């Protein structure tokens, strides 16, 4: 009874898989809000290094992973694929449940898979400093770690209320040498203006994004980095699915269902994208994206052009969205509180190639605690959404049905959320129908 499949370092994927090469219909272009025309690489050059801009639109099926990137990835990759024997027994299923354990990276989630690649390409193009925003700190800590590995400076605008109330990931970022500012900060024109208008502003991800972008475009040796949503980010995450493919084939198992939680969509896509060609070739394989009921982008949003951020500073992306002005309720899975979903994930949903489901947070925490009490690992609140969907899929499953999910991160820095759950203080938010309808009325007028 094998419990985990561990690959050796030489099994680390040699290239990322780019699903754009195999899409039955190309992705809609990214659009400039002023001209309503597709953006050009020059529009993005002040923000991103050219190598990443090229990857964003590349149609090549495979893009080689540079040696330097593999070297850093090999600190924690390949990650093990676990068979969840104990969970299977506890829920009495005949299905085989597997989880790809991405919590073994130094920051504890899948996010460094792209942070490492992004910092490498920035460094190669002479960038000295990278800026970003972070909410609860998962992305900030992944970028801080990657920047330290390549000795690039890292500046992080952290939403002020999280900076003050959730010190542990801030301290993790600082341990890796990042410079942290509570946002709104006094470092940028935008931040200073917000502070002047509202000295007690608790900050928001939208404000922090605007500050990080302003910092990057006003310094010639500085660029900006994004942790999810964009095509190149999802592609960097395909190491997850590529390793999983190899691990399952070593076991002689063929996956029937692949499951991941969706914030921006990068860990879900990283697992499923390498399996999409099987579906296109007529194989019976399902992909399930799981989101919170309080921020139901894929299950209740519209497939429209929208801004990527609240402050309307980004180009327009065609995606499932709840409207850029929608501010989701403060659930504990902070990484799933994004108003949109990655254009690639949205496109796959529109084409009917993936499915989406939504759950409330208390039922997810219940699933997470069952997982911790059987498999031992304590999941991130985000990951608990995938686990809840897995348990539902496994109920009444025929013998030998293979269910694989992405264990996107651990919950060891989210213990306050578990505290709320154990004390019955956790609240389920009804689907915020009126607020979403209001936000959807503010979508930009582009078809
Ligand atoms: C950030 C995060 C997510 C959500 O982001 P995606 O881009 O959708 O993957 C999910 N799980 C964990 C542990 C995270 O840190």
């Amino acid at each position: 009874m094998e419990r985990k499949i561990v690959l050796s370092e030489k099994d680390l994927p040699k290239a990322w898989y780019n699903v754009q090469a195999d899409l039955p219909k190309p992705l809609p272009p990214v659009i400039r809000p002023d001209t309503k025309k597709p953006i050009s690489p020059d529009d993005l050059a002040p923000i991103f290094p050219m190598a990443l801009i090229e990857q964003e639109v590349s149609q090549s099926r495979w893009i080689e992973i540079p040696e330097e990137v593999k070297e850093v990835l090999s600190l924690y990759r390949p990650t093990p694929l676990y068979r969840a024997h104990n969970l299977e027994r506890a829920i009495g299923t005949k299905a085989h449940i597997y989880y790809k354990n991405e919590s073994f990276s130094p920051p504890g989630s899948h996010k460094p898979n792209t942070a490492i690649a992004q910092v490498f390409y920035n460094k190669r193009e002479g960038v000295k400093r990278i800026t970003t925003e972070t909410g609860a700190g998962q992305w900030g800590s992944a970028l801080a770690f990657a920047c330290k590995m390549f000795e690039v400076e890292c500046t992080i605008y952290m939403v002020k209320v999280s900076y003050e109330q959730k010190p542990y990931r801030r301290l993790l970022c600082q341990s890796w040498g990042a410079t942290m500012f509570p946002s709104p900060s006094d470092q940028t024109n935008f931040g200073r203006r917000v502070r002047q208008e509202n000295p007690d502003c608790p900050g928001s991800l939208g404000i922090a994004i605007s500050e990080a972008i302003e910092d990057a475009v006003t310094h010639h040796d500085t660029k900006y980095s994004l942790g999810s949503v964009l095509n190149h980010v999802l592609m960097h995450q395909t190491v997850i699915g590529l390793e999983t493919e190899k691990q399952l084939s070593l076991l002689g198992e063929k996956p029937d269902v692949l499951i991941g939680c969706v914030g921006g969509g990068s860990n879900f896509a990283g697992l499923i994208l390498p399996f999409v060609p099987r579906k296109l070739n007529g194989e019976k394989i399902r992909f399930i994206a799981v989101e919170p009921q309080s921020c139901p982008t894929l299950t209740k949003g519209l497939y429209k052009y929208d801004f990527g951020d609240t402050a309307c500073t980004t180009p327009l992306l065609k995606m499932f969205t709840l409207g850029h002005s929608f501010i989701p309720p403060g659930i504990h899975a902070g990484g799933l509180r994004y108003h949109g979903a990655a254009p690639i994930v949205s496109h796959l949903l529109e084409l009917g190639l993936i499915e989406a489901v939504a759950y409330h947070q208390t039922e997810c925490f219940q699933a997470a605690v069952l997982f911790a009490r059987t498999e031992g690992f304590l999941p991130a609140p985000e990951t608990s959404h995938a686990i809840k969907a897995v348990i539902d899929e496994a109920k009444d499953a025929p013998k030998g049905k293979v269910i694989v999910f992405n264990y996107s991160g651990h919950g060891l820095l989210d213990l306050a959320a578990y505290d709320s759950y154990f004390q019955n203080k956790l609240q389920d938010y009804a689907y915020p129908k009126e607020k979403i309808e209001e936000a959807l009325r503010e979508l930009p007028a582009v078809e």
Side-chain angles (χ1 to χ4, degrees):
M1 189 176 88
E2 204 129 22
R3 204 180 277 286
K4 62 183 183 305
I5 307 301
V6 187
L7 299 173
S8 86
E9 281 176 27
K10 64 178 185 335
D11 291 318
L12 204 91
K14 297 187 171 42
W16 292 296
Y17 170 64
N18 179 15
V19 76
Q20 291 193 67
D22 292 323
L23 290 173
K25 236 176 86 181
L27 285 174
V30 176
I31 291 205
R32 275 180 67 128
D34 51 353
T35 61
K36 309 270 199 278
K37 297 250 162 62
I39 53 165
S40 74
D42 289 346
D43 293 330
L44 296 174
I47 304 177
F48 298 120
M50 220 17 106
L52 295 177
I53 296 171
E54 283 162 11
Q55 288 182 4
E56 191 62 18
V57 294
S58 169
Q59 300 295 311
S60 310
R61 184 168 291 112
W62 298 101
I63 293 180
E64 200 180 323
I65 307 179
E67 275 311 313
E68 296 89 332
V69 172
K70 281 193 286 191
E71 230 168 79
V72 181
L73 285 176
S74 68
L75 282 171
Y76 62 93
R77 303 209 74 85
T79 59
L81 180 75
Y82 277 77
R83 172 85 185 266
H85 286 295
N86 299 352
L87 178 67
E88 285 172 22
R89 225 172 286 126
I91 59 180
T93 180
K94 298 193 198 98
H96 299 178
I97 300 175
Y98 291 93
Y99 57 102
K100 182 68 168 159
N101 198 331
E102 291 297 305
S103 76
F104 284 135
S105 74
S109 78
H110 64 289
K111 289 191 172 78
N113 296 334
T114 183
I116 292 163
Q118 292 190 43
V119 175
F120 166 77
Y121 288 113
N122 273 286
K123 168 114 178 176
R124 202 179 63 180
E125 294 182 28
V127 172
K128 296 281 182 286
R129 189 168 66 96
I130 300 177
T131 68
T132 198
E133 72 287 338
T134 198
Q138 286 104 326
W139 170 242
S141 57
L143 190 70
F145 157 71
C147 279
K148 184 38 77 186
M149 293 301 108
F150 290 101
E151 291 297 350
V152 171
E153 282 177 62
C154 184
T155 303
I156 300 171
Y157 293 87
M158 184 168 187
V159 177
K160 189 168 136 196
V161 47
S162 303
Y163 185 96
E164 287 164 356
Q165 290 175 8
K166 297 184 176 169
Y168 293 117
R169 281 205 185 84
R170 161 166 66 78
L171 289 162
L172 196 53
C173 298
Q174 288 169 329
S175 304
W176 281 311
T179 304
M180 309 286 294
F181 294 110
S183 167
S185 76
D186 57 5
Q187 300 293 304
T188 64
N189 286 327
F190 187 71
R192 284 186 290 268
R193 201 171 76 221
V194 174
R195 280 155 65 114
Q196 207 165 30
E197 283 164 13
N198 179 7
D200 299 320
C201 178
S204 72
L205 216 42
I207 295 169
I209 294 177
S210 307
E211 287 205 274
I213 293 180
E214 180 185 325
D215 184 340
V217 300
T218 53
H219 295 90
H220 79 280
D221 60 353
T222 303
K223 302 253 189 246
Y224 167 75
S225 173
L226 200 62
S228 187
V229 179
L230 299 180
N231 303 341
H232 67 267
V233 177
L234 273 53
M235 187 187 74
H236 297 155
Q237 293 293 354
T238 60
V239 290
I240 300 171
L242 293 167
E243 288 175 9
T244 302
E245 215 175 4
K246 194 173 272 182
Q247 286 160 317
L248 287 171
S249 79
L250 285 172
L251 290 165
E253 291 272 45
K254 221 171 98 213
D256 295 300
V257 191
L258 295 170
I259 297 176
C261 63
V262 171
S266 73
N267 88 83
F268 168 72
L271 175 69
I272 72 134
L273 291 181
F275 294 90
V276 165
R278 299 185 182 201
K279 180 122 184 164
L280 295 172
N281 289 332
E283 231 180 77
K284 273 209 180 83
I285 180 169
R286 292 165 58 216
F287 309 116
I288 305 178
V290 194
E291 59 184 12
Q293 280 281 3
S294 56
C295 188
T297 314
L298 296 170
T299 52
K300 299 270 173 50
L302 300 178
Y303 188 48
K304 292 271 191 191
Y305 272 103
D306 196 8
F307 291 100
D309 68 323
T310 321
C312 307
T313 45
T314 71
L316 300 175
L317 306 168
K318 181 96 184 256
M319 59 182 177
F320 276 89
T321 178
L322 297 169
H324 58 268
S325 61
F326 174 65
I327 299 183
I331 54 163
H332 284 284
L336 305 186
R337 293 177 67 238
Y338 182 59
H339 69 270
I344 287 178
V345 170
S346 299
H347 192 65
L348 293 175
L349 182 65
E350 180 71 6
L351 294 174
L353 293 168
I354 66 168
E355 309 160 41
V357 291
Y359 289 107
H360 286 295
Q361 65 175 353
T362 48
E363 56 189 348
C364 292
F365 271 95
Q366 198 179 353
V369 170
L370 175 63
F371 189 85
R373 291 178 182 176
T374 51
E375 293 299 311
F377 296 104
L378 188 79
E382 290 83 1
T383 311
S384 73
H385 288 70
I387 296 171
K388 170 64 184 155
V390 166
I391 293 172
D392 278 4
E393 265 310 305
K395 266 185 214 145
D396 310 317
K399 194 162 187 304
K401 172 173 168 178
V402 175
I403 303 172
V404 185
F405 76 98
N406 197 354
Y407 189 84
S408 56
H410 67 63
L412 297 178
L413 294 176
D414 304 284
L415 292 173
Y418 280 90
D419 189 33
S420 303
Y421 173 70
F422 292 135
Q423 293 193 45
N424 289 321
K425 284 187 187 153
L426 219 57
Q427 198 186 330
D428 277 338
Y429 298 91
Y431 158 55
K433 190 161 185 280
E434 273 80 42
K435 278 178 70 185
I436 290 173
E437 280 170 358
E438 194 182 305
L440 287 173
R441 278 195 290 274
E442 282 176 43
L443 285 180
V446 183
E447 272 320 308

